[in-house]
Each structure stands twice: as C-alpha cells, then as structure tokens.
C-alpha cells in the first residue's frame, strides 16, 4: 500500500494563503502544537480532501471553511482550532450574513475560495494529487492530478487505494473514542455494517422481506379460500339432496291445507245461507210490532227535543254567569293596585308634611342665628371705635412728648452709639435673633413634652378602662350566645315539625286535588246504558271462565294523549268493543257461552289466526302533522297483532286540511282521521260529525275505582296530620325572643369589636407617645443648656453696648428726666405693641362674625329652597290621591253593576234548572211507555241478533280463509265465473262496507238492518271435495285434518333444507376454478419472492459475517497487546458477542472487555481510561479489516494516563510501517515523543494565520523491538 507524503492547504479555516504539512517518509507522524494553534484544523483538512461532508467538520456550510481574517483579528483560537470573537459571541464559522455586515477594506478583501490537496505515493512509487476546492459559489470541485472529476469518480479513485469514505475506518475524530466506548449494541452492529458494506443491502433486504411476507400471506389466503370452497361444495351437495326431499313433502302438506280450507269454506257458506233465510222470516214479524209503538216513539222524540232546548238555555246562562264572574274578578284585581297606590301616596304625603315642618323649624332657628350674629358684629364695631379713642388719649398721657429737635438729637446720638459700638451691636443683634429662635424652640419642646406626658397618662387610664369594659362585654357575649343556642334548638325543633307537617299536608292536598279532578273528569257524563253494563259483566265472566280471554280492544289500549281519544275511537270503529282472545278455539268457546247464556253477541279477534298486513313504513313521517294510528295508543306487546289488525294503516291528522293534503294531493290510499273524528276513506268518501264521545270516555272507566280508593286514602292521611296552627303562638313568641337575643348579640359583638379596635388604637398611640417622649426630653434638656449659655454671652455684649449708650445719652436723659435711654425706648415700644395687639383682636372678631353671618345666610337660602321643593311634591301627591280616589270610585261602581247582573243571572239559572228537571221527568215517562211496548220487539231482535252474529262469524271465517289463501299463495279451485283472489282486499271484513262510518246503536230504536255478506265475486268450486267431508262438520274431523297438516309441518321443520343450495352450488363450483388459478399464481409469486430475498439475505450475511469474524479474531490480540505490561504480560481480554447468530445485523453486538487483574464488568462500569483502551482496540481491529494506507487519530489519548499513553505509543510504533501509516494529533509527550516525524502547528499573530513546521526525528529513535 501507499502512503500520504504531504498535505497542501490554501485559505482553509485558520490557514491563510498556501501551507504545506510534510509527512515525508515517516510512517508515524505526530501533529503537535499549543491549544488554539489550529491542530484540529489539519485533521479537518485531511477529512475534507478525502470527501467528508462539511457537517462532520464542525461547520454547517462549505463557505464556513474558507479563511476569514476579519474574524481571526478579533478572536482567540480555541483548543479545537475554532475562533471565538473577543467581547462577542462570534465564531470563525459564523453565518455569511454576519460576515458581510462589515465594510472595511480588509474585510472586503477576504478570500472567497479555498482548497486542500493531498499528495499520495502509491505502491509503484508514483505520486497522485487529490485536490478538493471550495468555489466562489460555495460548492465543491474535485481534481485528480490536475483534472476536474466528479464526486463519484473522485470516490472511486480513493476506493481503488482502499480508502473507504462511507466506512470512515481510517479517521478517528476528537471525541469519537468516548462515543464508541459508550455506544449501544445496535450502534456497534451498524458500525460493523458500514465497515463490511452490508449496509448497502439493508434497503433491498427490507423491501424484499416485506414482499416475501406479503406473497406468503397471499399464498396462505388463497390456500384457505380453496379449502373453504371445497368444504362449501360438499355442504351444498348434501343440502341439494335435502331440498329435493323437502319439496316432495311440502307438496303433500299444501294439498292437505287446501282440503282443510275447502272443508271449512263449504260449511261456512252453508251456515250463512241457512241463517239468512231465517232472518227474512223474522223481518215480517218485526214490522207488525213496530207499527204499535210508532206513536209513543214520536212523543218521546218531541220530549227529547224540548229537553235539549231547555238544556241549551241552561248552558248559555251558565256561560254568561262565568263571564260576569270573570269580569267581577278582573275589576276586583284592578282595584287592588289602585288602593295600594293610594295608601303609599298618603304615607308619602304624611312624611312630606312632617319633613316640611322640621325644615321650617330649622329655617326659623337659622333666621334667629343670623339676627344674633348681626347684632354681635355691631357691638364689636362700636367697641373698636371706643378703644381707638381711649388709646389716643393714653398715648398723650404716657410721658412727655418729644419735640422735633429732641427727635433729631435722639437720632444723632443713636448714630453715634452705632459708630462706637457697631461690632458689639451686630453681635448682640445676631445673638438676640438666635435667642428668640432658641427660646421658641425650647418653649415648643417644653410644651410638646408636657403634652406628651399628659397624653401618656390619659392613654394609660383609657386602656385600663377599655380592658375592664372588654371583659364585661365578653361575659355578656358568652351568656347571650348560650341563650341563643338554647332558643335556636327549641325553635328549630318546632319549625322542623311544623314544616314537615305543612309539607306533608301540601303534598297530600295536591295529590287529593289531582285525584278529585281526574275523578270528576272521569265521571262527567259516564251514565252507562244497561247494554254496556251487561257487556262488562259478560266480559268479566268470560275472563274468569276462559283463561285465553284478554279483554275488549277499548280496555287493552289507551290513547297516549287525551287529544287522540276521538280520533282513536273513530279509527277502531267496529273493533272498539271487539274481544281479543289467544286462539281461535277460545273464540269459539266464548261464542258458544254467549249463545247458551243468551248474553247477546260479540266480535272476537283470535291472536293466532288473525291475518295482519305489515304496516306501510312509507306513511310514517309523511307530514309533521300526521302519525300512524298505531303510534297514538299504548298497549301491551302481547296484543300487538290485534292492535295492528284493528288500526291497520290508518293515519291520525291534526286537522282536516292535512288530511285532505295527504289523501287528495299526495294520493295516499289510507284512511285519514282528524283529531275531531272526521274521516277521509280510501275511496275519497268523507264522513264527519259527532257520535263517539261515549267511546272516548270509556277508557277512563277502568281508572275510576282506583281513583276513588286513592282519594279515600289521601283523605284519611290528611285527617291524621296534626293541627298546623296549634303551636303558632308559641313559635312566634320564641321567634321574637330569638330575634331580640340575636339583635342584642350583634350589638354587643359590634361593641366588642369597637372596643378591640379602640384598645389597639390606644396601645399604638401609647407606644408612639412614649417613643416621642423619649425623643423630646433629651432634646429639651440640650436646648435649654444651649439657651442659658447663649443668654450669658448675649448679656456681655448688651452690657458693652449699654455702657456706650449711657456715655452718649447721659446729657439727653438727664435733660428729659429719664434714668437711661433704655427706659424711654421700653416705654414707647410696649405702648405701640399693646395697641397693635388690640387692633388685631378686633379685626379677627369682626372677620369671624362676618364669615359666620355669610355661611348662615347661605344655609338659610338652601333651607328655603328645600321647603319649596317639598311643598311642590306635596301638591303633586294630593293631586295623585284625588285621581286615584276617582279611579277607585269608578271601578267600585262597575263592580256593583256586575254584581247585580250576576245575581239576576243566578236567579234565571235556578228557574231554568227547575224547568230542565221537569222536561227530564217527562222524557223518562215517555221512555218507560215505549219500553213497555218494546218487549216483543226485543225478543225478535235478540233472535235476529243471534242469527246475524252467526252469519258474521261464518262470513268472517270465510273471509279469513280466503285472505289467508291470498297472503300465503294457497291455490284453491274456483268456479268459472268467479273473480280471482287478487280482487280480495286484505284489510276489510266481509260483512260490512269498509268505507262506512260506524254509528252507535240506540237501544230504544233497534231495527233489523239487512245483513249483507260481501263475497267480492269469489265463488269456490267444491266438486273436488269428498262427499263425506261435505256431510260431516264435526270438530273431530277438523282435528284430524289439523293433525295431518301438523305432522307434515313437523316433518318439514325438522328437515330445514337450504332451498337455494342448487343455485349456490353452481356459483361455488365456478368460484373454485377462479380460486385454483389465483392460488397457483400466488404460490409462484411466493417462491420467486423467497428466492430473491434469500439471495440478498445471503449476500448481506456473508459480508457482515466476514467483517465480524475478522474483527472478532483481531480484537483479542490487539486488546491484549494494548493492555499488557512488564508486570502483566498476559494483558486483558476482549471479545465480541452476537445476540442473533442467524441474522446478526437485525440485533445488537455486545463488546466485552476485561482489563488485567479485574473481573468481567459491563462497558459502562469501566473507568474512562479503560473505556478508551477498549475503544481503541476496537478501532484498530476494525481498521485491520480492509485497512486504508493511513490511519489518522485526533487526540485519542485525552482521557488516558501516562502508562496507557505509553502503551498506545508502543503499539503504534510496532505496527507503523509500509501499508500502515499513522498520523496522530496529540498534546501528550508520551505519545508524540516516539513518532518518526513531528509536524508543529503554531500561531503567527502578525500574519493572523496558522503555520506548520516539520521535523524528522527518526534518527534519534531507538530501534523497534
């Protein structure tokens, strides 16, 4: 292998201009230099020229690698070769934007390009020049021997010399050793993958593995599909055989059903014809009986009309009474606020008058005050004038007055004194001013000290008194609180008992009123006819005798809201009184019971045989004002079929307009019923009027008894409650006492709080006063001493001046008969001072009185304005009271009129009620007369009703059978001229018109209506029916026919075949062919994917395992060699351990190192030096696999002690040679002193650049070994 001869740098990082780093023939070269000289930049230069990205060179952009003198001039070089700006957070690799922000000439001339060239000598001795430059645009340019090449060509040339850029196994940057020592097993796996080159297969491996898994999954899916289809084919073949057997058995069952239906239809038709002939015979007999009672029925009709007219008059009068009562109530209600306003206004007026009286009295008092003050002002002015006169006289009497000559002489002598004693006068004058000031100060301090002492004494007395009051108040609080707690406990007990009683009474009253209201509404107009009472008794008997009887439709359902009552009763129509039973057998037994007991007739709805058409779901929600009739009632789900049959597809509409819109405009073929009972039938016929009120009320019959029982229970509970007013007086008294105690407690607590606040304030004042006294007394004593000294000093100067004055004024004083000049000046000065003081006092008195008079006059004017405003407000209140009194009189007059009208209407109502009772009595008499003559008619009617019921029962049975045939597609033989079963409606009954409105029967006017049986033109052909079946109508025969059908049904139910098995068998066989084809294609794809994946897997495993095996073999001797010493010749042990031997690149590789004389420990538990030695051993072992011609190490010895550094140096010396060149950057003497050549890097501050020197020391080294 070749070697690196030299490295040329141009404007690269801290190297300005062109520089050479010579390695020469040395195989162990050390790059040394002080911190900040640029050593690590040489490592960056080697990495840069070998194609390493700038992000690994401590720079974010290539431009950052270009030399920047403007930065270096104001910066210091760090240990790693980077530059930090002095006084700022700058860096040599700063942003271009910042670098361009300066505009000095030096900065504008910074280089824009840089390059590094490595000169390499290959095995043949030829030199190769590898050059990488940074252009003006900040891009890389690659050259080999002067020729520009691409990055890929440049990389291929390096790989030709076994320099693998991707593996980077020849470069160890600063800090890489610590990183390698602390890396995880997976990181070590990735490192070996990079070294081995197996990492290039990772993407293809993962892609092909995913494709293989997907193909295998698809293969398994198609395999399972094929197995499932084969299983389905076997299943459907078996089901086909079962279906053929089932079809044969079903034909037998269908023929048995047709025979049974024909037998029943034949006997239904026979009974209908016989009963019809019997009814015709009774018709003539009934006509004769009716002629005899026609006259009495006419009289009864007249009496009913007369009674109805009177009833309408009573109702009208009652409505008028209610209207008048409402008007009276409104007037009385309107009178309440008027009366209240009058009362409030009068109170306001009374308060206003009282206020006027008070303010008027105040005005009088202020007027007197103004007069008195004016009088006092005049007295003061008079006294002032008198004093001025007396003062002038006094001035004339005091001493003799000086002449003009005397005054001139006095002034001349004064000037003479001033000349002779000017210095002493000035000093005396200054001392007098100071004395006056000090005297005022001393006086002030003495007054303040005395005041503070008095204040301290008073505060101490106040605090003592407050403490005594506080103790007394606290005793009162405790006593009052104790009394309140006792009273509260007693009051709460009484209140709780009263509230519970009142609450129970209120709840019971509300429930009782609610029950009574419901009971009153339920019983209103509930006069049941004898026929209805007999029917209820009959239904009760049938329920008791036959367990399958559910009850009448009207009893089994109830409208969800009261407003639906009329509509639902109209929808139910003839089914309203129909009886619901569990099965057809129960219905027959009930009919026989009615016939035997002569209980009349009834319609029955058997739940097992009734044919119910499915509800048309499209009718739901058609309009916001419509809903299905079935949705407006509540019922038990057990009778759902009966309710569906009775209601059908009928629609309940809010009003007639909605019903017309649904039926006429939308064209919906369904019966529409409005809330008031109006009906629009399917055919468009409209029916209206009243006639089912009694049916709507009948729902409430079942609740009346329960309501009565509940009312009685509530009344008993109310009577058992205690009297709520029994303890009212005691409770009020107790409440008053409690309120008084609470008020007292509140006042006492407020007083206690006030005392506490007062006590705190007094204590604070006392503390402050004592503090102030302590400060004032020393000041007073000090000032007093200073004043005494000042007085003595002043007296000496005054005595000197007095001597001069006595000498100068001796003749003057002798002539004017004064002892000395000072006596004269004192006399004249005191008189003037007294006059000025007196004049000042008069001025102050006059000013005070004038100010007081002005204030009182202003207050007097404001008081007058207030009196005027109150008088105006009083006038307004009087006017308002007059208006309200007028309104009250008017309302009272109207109320009296209405009361008189009400009294008159009540008299009229009484008369009309009496008349109505007479009419009602007359109607009863006429009804009794008609009833006497109707007995024969009733007998005929009962007989006819029995025959009609028989016809209806058989007609319904015939219709039900025909309807069943239509719904279940049962084919029966029909006559040639018969209509088809398609003409048969499935929601109608055969014996009545489906669009006719049901009208309740009047028990007093029973008539025989011709019974019409609707056969819809359907005529059954009974020729195929055996003669024995036509003659025999016994129930045993029907049971035999039923048993035969039931047996065939049981056999069919047990078979339960899949009738679509043949069709599905063909589809499954077709799917099997497609699935077979898909499975074969999936199998081929899975095989190809597996082969492709296995190929890549083998290649990846081979490369990885080859590298791992080599490194694992080399690491043991390398680590041993690095850690051995003279005392420990065996050294340490190190080895690599795979976590997954099949696919090691998918899991981690653990690196274990055991230093000499130490037990095995994990890597993280080793010391820093031990980790570094282990990491270096791993790096040397990795480098030994596909080794590059040179190995560059940057300060790998930073964490090692001298002993370990010496071991590293020995190892490098032993292995350095042809094919293995070491370039080491180090500061440790123990490492670089054993190198063959030294490259020194130093900092030239004058040129602002890093420079290099090379020294060959190979001759001074001892020989190897």
């Amino acid at each position: 292998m070749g070697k690196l001869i030299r490295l040329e740098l141009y404007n690269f990082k801290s190297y300005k201009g062109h520089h050479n780093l010579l390695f020469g023939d040395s195989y162990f070269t050390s790059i040394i230099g002080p911190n900040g000289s640029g050593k690590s930049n040489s490592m960056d230069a080697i990495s840069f020229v070998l194609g390493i990205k700038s992000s690994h060179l401590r720079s974010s952009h290539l431009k950052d690698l270009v030399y920047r003198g403007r930065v270096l001039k104001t910066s210091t070089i760090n240990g790693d070769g980077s530059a930090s700006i002095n006084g700022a957070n700058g860096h040599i690799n700063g942003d271009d934007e910042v670098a361009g922000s300066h505009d000095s000439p030096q900065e504008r001339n910074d280089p824009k390009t840089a390059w590094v060239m490595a000169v390499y000598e290959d095995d043949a001795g030829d030199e190769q020049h590898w050059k990488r430059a940074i252009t003006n645009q900040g891009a890389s340019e690659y050259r080999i021997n002067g020729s520009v090449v691409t990055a890929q060509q440049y990389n291929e040339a390096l790989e030709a010399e076994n320099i693998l850029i991707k593996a980077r196994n020849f470069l160890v940057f600063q800090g890489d050793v610590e990183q390698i020592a602390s890396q995880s097993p997976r990181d070590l796996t990735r490192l070996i993958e990079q070294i081995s080159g197996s990492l290039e297969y990772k993407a293809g491996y993962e892609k092909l593995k995913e494709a293989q898994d997907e193909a295998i999954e698809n293969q398994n899916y198609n395999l399972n599909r094929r197995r499932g289809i084969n299983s389905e084919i076997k299943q459907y073949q078996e089901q086909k055989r079962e279906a053929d057997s089932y079809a044969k058995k079903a034909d037998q069952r269908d023929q048995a059903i047709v025979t049974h239906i024909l037998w029943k239809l034949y006997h239904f038709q026979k009974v209908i014809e016989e009963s019809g002939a019997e009814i015709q015979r009774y018709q003539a007999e009934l006509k004769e009986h009716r002629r005899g009672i026609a006259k009495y029925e006419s009289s009864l009709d007249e009496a009913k009309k007369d009674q109805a007219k009177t009833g309408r008059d009573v109702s009208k009068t009652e409505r008028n009474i209610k209207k008048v009562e409402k008007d009276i109530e409104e007037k009385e209600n309107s009178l309440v606020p008027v009366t209240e306003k009058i009362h409030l206004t009068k109170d306001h007026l009374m308060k206003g008058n009282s206020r006027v009286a008070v303010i008027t009295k105040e005005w009088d008092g202020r007027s007197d005050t103004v007069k008195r003050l004016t009088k006092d002002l005049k007295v003061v002015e008079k006294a002032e004038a008198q004093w001025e006169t007396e003062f002038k006289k006094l001035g004339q009497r005091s001493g003799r007055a000086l002449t003009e000559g005397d005054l001139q002489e006095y002034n001349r002598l004064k000037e003479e004194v001033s000349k002779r004693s000017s210095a002493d006068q000035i000093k005396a004058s200054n001392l007098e001013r100071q004395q006056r000031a000090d005297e005022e100060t001393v006086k002030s301090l003495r007054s303040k000290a005395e005041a503070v002492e008095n204040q301290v004494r008073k505060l101490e007395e106040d605090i003592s008194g407050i403490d005594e009051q506080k103790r007394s108040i606290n005793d009162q609080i405790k006593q009052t609180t104790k009394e309140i707690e006792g009273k509260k406990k007693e009051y709460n007990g009484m209140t709780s008992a009263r509230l519970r009683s009142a609450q129970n009474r209120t709840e019971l009253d509300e429930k009782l009123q609610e029950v009574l209201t419901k009971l009153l509404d339920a019983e209103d107009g509930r006069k049941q006819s004898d026929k209805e009472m007999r029917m209820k008794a009959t239904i009760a008997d049938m329920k008791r005798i036959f367990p399958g009887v559910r009850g009448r439709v009207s009893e089994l359902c109830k409208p969800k809201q009261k407003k639906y009552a009329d509509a639902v009763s109209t929808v139910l129509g003839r089914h309203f009184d129909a009886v619901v039973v569990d099965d057809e057998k129960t219905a027959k037994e009930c009919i026989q019971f009615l016939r035997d007991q002569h209980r009349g007739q009834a319609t029955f709805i058997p739940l097992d045989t009734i044919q119910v058409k499915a509800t048309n779901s499209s009718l739901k929600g058609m309009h916001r004002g419509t809903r299905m009739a079935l949705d407006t009632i509540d019922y038990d789900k057990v009778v759902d079929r009966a309710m569906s049959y009775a209601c059908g597809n009928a629609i309940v509409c809010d009003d007639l307009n909605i019903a017309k819109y649904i039926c006429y405009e939308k064209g919906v073929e369904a019966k529409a019923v409005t809330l008031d009972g109006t009906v629009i039938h399917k055919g468009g016929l409209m029916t209206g009027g009243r006639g089912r009120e009694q049916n709507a009320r009948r729902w409430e019959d079942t609740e009346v008894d329960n309501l009565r029982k509940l009312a009685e229970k509530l009344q008993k509970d109310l009577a058992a409650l205690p009297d709520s007013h029994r303890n009212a007086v005691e409770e009020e008294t107790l409440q008053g006492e409690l309120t008084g105690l609470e008020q007292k407690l509140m006042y006492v607590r407020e007083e206690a709080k006030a005392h506490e606040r007062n006590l705190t304030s007094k204590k604070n004042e006392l503390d402050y006063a004592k503090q102030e006294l302590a400060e004032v007394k020393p000041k007073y004593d000090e000032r007093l001493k200073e004043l005494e000294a000042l007085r003595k000093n002043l007296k000496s100067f005054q005595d000197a001046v007095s001597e001069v004055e006595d000498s100068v004024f001796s003749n003057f004083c002798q002539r004017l008969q004064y002892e000395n000049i000072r006596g004269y000046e004192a006399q004249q000065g005191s008189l003037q001072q007294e006059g000025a003081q007196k004049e000042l006092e008069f001025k102050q008195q006059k000013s005070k009185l004038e100010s007081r008079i002005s204030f009182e006059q202003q207050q007097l004017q404001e008081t007058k304005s207030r009196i005027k405003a109150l008088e105006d407000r009083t006038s307004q209140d009087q006017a308002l009271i007059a208006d309200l009194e007028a309104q009250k009189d008017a309302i009272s007059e109207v109320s009296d009129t209405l009361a008189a009208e009400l009294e008159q209407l009540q008299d009229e109502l009484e008369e009309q009620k009496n008349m109505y009772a007479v009419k009602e009595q007359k109607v009863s008499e006429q009804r009794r007369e008609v009833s006497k003559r109707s007995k024969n008619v009733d007998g005929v009617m009962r007989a006819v009703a029995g025959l009609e019921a028989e016809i209806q029962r058989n007609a319904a049975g015939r219709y039900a059978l025909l309807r069943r045939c239509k719904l279940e597609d049962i084919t029966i033989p029909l006559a040639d001229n018969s209509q088809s079963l398609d003409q048969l409606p499935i929601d109608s009954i055969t014996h009545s018109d489906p669009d006719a409105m049901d009208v309740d029967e009047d028990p007093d006017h029973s008539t025989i209506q011709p019974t019409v049986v609707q056969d819809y033109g359907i005529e059954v052909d009974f020729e195929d029916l055996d003669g024995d079946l036509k003659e025999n109508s016994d129930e045993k025969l029907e049971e035999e026919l039923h048993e035969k059908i039931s047996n065939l049904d049981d056999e069919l139910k047990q078979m339960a075949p899949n009738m679509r098995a043949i069709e599905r068998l063909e589809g499954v066989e077709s799917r099997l062919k497609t699935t077979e084809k898909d499975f074969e294609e999936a199998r081929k794809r899975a095989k190809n994917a597996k082969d492709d994946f296995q190929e890549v897997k083998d290649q990846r495993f081979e490369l990885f395992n080859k590298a791992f095996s080599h490194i694992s073999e080399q690491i043991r001797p390398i680590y041993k060699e690095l850690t051995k010493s003279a005392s420990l010749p065996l050294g340490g042990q190190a080895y690599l351990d795979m976590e997954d031997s099949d696919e090691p690149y998918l899991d981690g590789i653990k690196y274990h190192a055991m230093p000499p004389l130490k037990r095995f420990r994990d890597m993280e538990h080793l010391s820093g030096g031990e980790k570094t030695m282990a990491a270096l051993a791993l790096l040397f072992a990795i480098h030994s696999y596909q080794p590059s011609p040179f190995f560059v190490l940057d300060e790998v010895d930073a964490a090692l002690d001298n002993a370990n550094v010496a071991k590293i140096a020995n190892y490098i010396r032993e292995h350095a040679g042809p094919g293995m060149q070491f370039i080491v950057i180090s500061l440790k003497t123990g490492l670089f002193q054993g190198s063959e050549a030294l490259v020194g890097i130093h900092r030239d501050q004058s040129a602002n650049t890093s420079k290099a020197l090379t020294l060959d020391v190979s001759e001074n080294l001892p020989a190897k070994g």
Side-chain angles (χ1 to χ4, degrees), residues 506-553:
T506 302
E507 292 176 356
L508 291 174
D509 278 336
E510 291 176 354
K511 291 180 181 178
L512 181 60
Q513 290 300 323
E514 184 179 356
V515 171
L516 291 176
T517 302
K518 290 182 180 178
L519 191 58
L520 184 61
D521 294 340
E523 289 181 343
D524 187 21
R526 287 182 58 256
K527 294 182 179 179
Q528 299 177 344
S529 63
D530 294 339
K531 179 180 178 182
E532 173 65 19
M533 296 179 67
R534 288 196 300 271
M535 178 55 72
K536 290 182 70 175
T538 301
I539 297 298
D541 292 340
M542 286 192 296
K543 284 184 177 180
R544 187 179 66 256
I545 298 172
F546 307 108
V549 178
R550 298 283 181 179
R552 287 185 294 180
V553 172

Side-chain angles (χ1 to χ4, degrees), residues 615-628:
T615 304
N616 188 356
S617 59
S618 63
L619 299 178
K620 294 184 177 180
M622 183 174 292
H623 190 278
R624 61 187 296 179
T626 65
R627 74 279 306 152
M628 298 296 294

Side-chain angles (χ1 to χ4, degrees), residues 1155-1212:
L1157 298 180
K1158 290 190 177 180
R1159 59 183 178 84
F1160 169 77
R1161 282 184 290 182
D1162 291 334
M1163 186 65 70
E1164 60 268 17
H1165 295 151
L1166 298 178
S1167 65
E1170 291 170 345
K1171 286 183 181 179
T1172 302
M1173 297 298 286
L1176 287 173
L1178 180 60
L1179 287 173
F1180 291 145
I1182 290 173
H1183 182 264
S1184 66
Y1185 179 76
Q1186 295 183 350
S1188 62
F1190 48 82
F1191 198 13
V1192 185
L1193 304 173
D1194 185 3
E1195 295 191 22
V1196 298
D1197 55 353
L1200 297 178
D1201 55 12
N1202 293 332
N1204 286 325
V1205 169
K1207 293 177 182 179
I1208 295 295
N1210 292 332
Y1211 179 86
I1212 293 175

